Amino acid sequence: MFTTLWPHLNERQRRLLLAAEARHLGRGGVTRVAQAAGVSRQTVHQALRELDAPPGPPGRVRRAGGGRKKTAAKDPEVVADLEALVDPQTRGDPMSPLRWTCKSTRQLAQALADAGHQVSHRLVAKLLHQQGYSLQAAVKTREGAQHPDRDAQFRYLNDQVQSFLRAGWPVISVDTKKKELVGLFKNDGQEWQPKGQPDEVNVHDFPDPTLGKAIPYGIYDVARNRGWVNVGQDHDTAAFAVESVRRWWANDGQTAYPGAQRVLMCADSGGSNGYRRRLWKRELARWAAESGLSVTVCHLPPGTSKWNKIEHRLFAHITMNWRERALTSYEVVVSLISATTTRSGLQVQAALDSGTYPLGVEVSDDEFAAIPIRPHEFHGEWNYTIDPAPSTLEIV
């Protein structure tokens, strides 16, 4: 009977069954029930006392305070000793509700055992969670000192974007994507392959001197959800950045915006298109003269490049598209970029740029003074317009 009913009963029901059966058998019933159920006579006597006691709250299996005591209750020093072990290794704000430690639970359990505590690594993990610790990865959130006009610049940039879009003029977000090694190198990610047949790549990531690195410079058309990527082979310079914009306009932009008189460029504050680079502005002036466009540039505030639309609307999808794929040649790089699409309708074009862009090109004071640049009233170093020739066009 016991073996049949046991799996269907909780602890309290089992005890009451033992007590009822022992009382029904009368003299010698405790011993016979204990032997049949495989429990001690003391357990049956405790069950009889529970049977005679008033019923407890509905759903309670044990009496208040019953059951095995928790380790922290039996060994109150264990929590303090655990805190002492992890606190010197704690990263981040100790007042934060979530903290993390670089020591494993097995290492911590061994250290506590050496100190005389009887704990398992699972108990250590449980105690850590109770103390507000969790497994976490580092998060890129620190941007350094924030410029006092950071938010104001974002608002100004947004106003410029809305103004250009209402007028039907192109708004593009520009930046250089992370340089990529070309050759048989491991790329992060996974893709479906026949079982046991992964792609084989080089053990070390030393650049191939004959292939070098691919330098993808992207132009993202905000209104049309279109991307253009110029894949360079030489150096990421301001001349290369403007040449990428020039190629976008010649191959896509001027067809999409045949009557455009102006273009707005949203760019980071640093890198090849940084607001301090004279070469960037000189090359933009040359392109403005060639295209007949008035070029307005609004830079994102320093330290906020991750908010550039091109990062999450174009570059992130390119990275997803070539995950795990070895970029064995420049042709493969161009092909994979061009094959990037999203459910929201993103389309991307890419081309290889075999041009040379030497480093260290200087722009003299006279050359810089000749640039037809008009700083805007609000942070003219971040916001400016370069006309195809000196003019008095109003800033939108």
Side-chain angles (χ1 to χ4, degrees):
M1 176 181 69
F2 294 116
T3 56
T4 303
L5 292 177
W6 229 238
H8 305 285
L9 305 177
N10 60 34
E11 292 181 23
R12 186 168 187 271
Q13 292 168 340
R14 292 175 184 177
R15 293 193 300 271
L16 295 177
L17 176 62
L18 292 175
E21 188 65 21
R23 182 158 293 173
H24 175 73
L25 292 174
R27 184 177 178 83
V30 171
T31 301
R32 293 168 62 186
V33 168
Q35 291 174 346
V39 299
S40 68
R41 294 178 72 253
Q42 182 182 0
T43 300
V44 180
H45 282 295
Q46 290 176 343
L48 287 166
R49 289 193 293 271
E50 187 173 355
L51 184 65
D52 294 333
R60 179 179 285 277
V61 174
R62 298 172 181 171
R63 69 180 185 276
R68 186 174 61 180
K69 297 295 184 282
K70 294 184 177 181
T71 301
K74 295 188 295 183
D75 184 4
E77 298 297 324
V78 67
V79 174
D81 287 351
L82 178 59
E83 281 278 3
L85 283 172
V86 299
D87 190 62
Q89 305 297 328
T90 298
R91 301 293 183 263
D93 181 6
M95 300 304 294
S96 170
L98 288 178
R99 293 183 284 171
W100 60 274
T101 175
C102 61
K103 288 184 176 180
S104 72
T105 54
R106 293 184 185 274
Q107 290 174 323
L108 291 170
Q110 184 59 52
L112 289 172
D114 293 341
H117 301 287
Q118 294 183 354
V119 294
S120 67
H121 67 93
R122 289 189 177 88
L123 177 58
V124 168
K126 184 177 180 179
L127 292 174
L128 286 173
H129 281 291
Q130 292 174 352
Q131 297 304 311
Y133 286 83
S134 69
L135 288 172
Q136 301 176 63
V139 180
K140 293 183 178 180
T141 57
R142 303 193 63 171
E143 299 175 347
Q146 294 185 3
H147 194 282
D149 290 335
R150 163 184 156 146
D151 292 343
Q153 174 63 10
F154 274 120
R155 289 192 295 270
Y156 184 83
L157 188 153
N158 183 66
D159 290 343
Q160 292 288 302
V161 169
Q162 295 303 320
S163 177
F164 271 75
L165 291 177
R166 285 195 299 269
W169 294 329
V171 177
I172 57 175
S173 174
V174 301
D175 197 12
T176 307
K177 191 181 184 301
K178 180 177 74 73
K179 300 177 180 66
E180 302 288 346
L181 291 173
V182 180
L184 279 173
F185 300 103
K186 184 180 185 301
N187 217 342
D188 291 337
Q190 296 177 321
E191 70 172 356
W192 293 102
Q193 296 278 14
K195 188 173 182 179
Q197 299 180 35
D199 291 335
E200 296 183 355
V201 296
N202 296 340
V203 174
H204 301 291
D205 291 340
F206 300 124
D208 188 325
T210 60
L211 294 176
K213 295 182 178 181
I215 309 171
Y217 191 93
I219 295 91
Y220 175 71
D221 188 327
V222 174
R224 297 168 57 234
N225 194 25
R226 297 291 186 270
W228 170 272
V229 180
N230 190 39
V231 181
Q233 300 173 277
D234 193 37
H235 298 104
D236 180 21
T237 66
F240 169 66
V242 176
E243 177 61 22
S244 300
V245 176
R246 179 183 286 110
R247 293 185 177 211
W248 161 78
W249 181 251
N251 291 277
D252 183 48
Q254 64 182 356
T255 302
Y257 302 97
Q261 300 176 5
R262 299 181 177 186
V263 59
L264 172 62
M265 302 173 62
C266 306
D268 292 349
S269 289
S272 57
N273 45 229
Y275 71 92
R276 288 190 177 95
R277 294 194 177 274
R278 287 186 169 193
L279 183 61
W280 161 253
K281 295 175 181 177
R282 190 194 72 179
E283 294 301 314
L284 280 180
R286 289 179 175 177
W287 176 59
E290 295 169 10
S291 62
L293 292 169
S294 183
V295 181
T296 295
V297 183
C298 291
H299 292 273
L300 278 75
T304 62
S305 60
K306 67 179 180 179
W307 304 113
N308 198 343
K309 289 187 182 298
I310 196 171
E311 296 290 344
H312 45 88
R313 293 195 180 180
L314 177 60
F315 289 164
H317 300 297
I318 293 173
T319 300
M320 286 290 293
N321 191 55
W322 67 28
R323 65 186 184 277
E324 203 277 332
R325 296 289 301 275
L327 307 178
T328 54
S329 67
Y330 285 98
E331 289 71 22
V332 169
V333 174
V334 172
S335 176
L336 289 174
I337 292 175
S338 301
T340 302
T341 58
T342 65
R343 285 181 292 181
S344 63
L346 173 68
Q347 295 182 13
V348 185
Q349 299 180 55
L352 185 63
D353 186 347
S354 57
T356 57
Y357 302 94
L359 300 171
V361 176
E362 299 288 342
V363 176
S364 67
D365 291 342
D366 290 340
E367 286 180 297
F368 188 72
I371 296 174
I373 186 170
R374 292 182 291 117
H376 294 198
E377 291 185 5
F378 180 76
H379 277 285
E381 75 279 17
W382 292 342
N383 310 291
Y384 48 86
T385 297
I386 299 176
D387 296 316
S391 70
T392 58
L393 288 174
E394 293 183 2
I395 299 171
V396 297

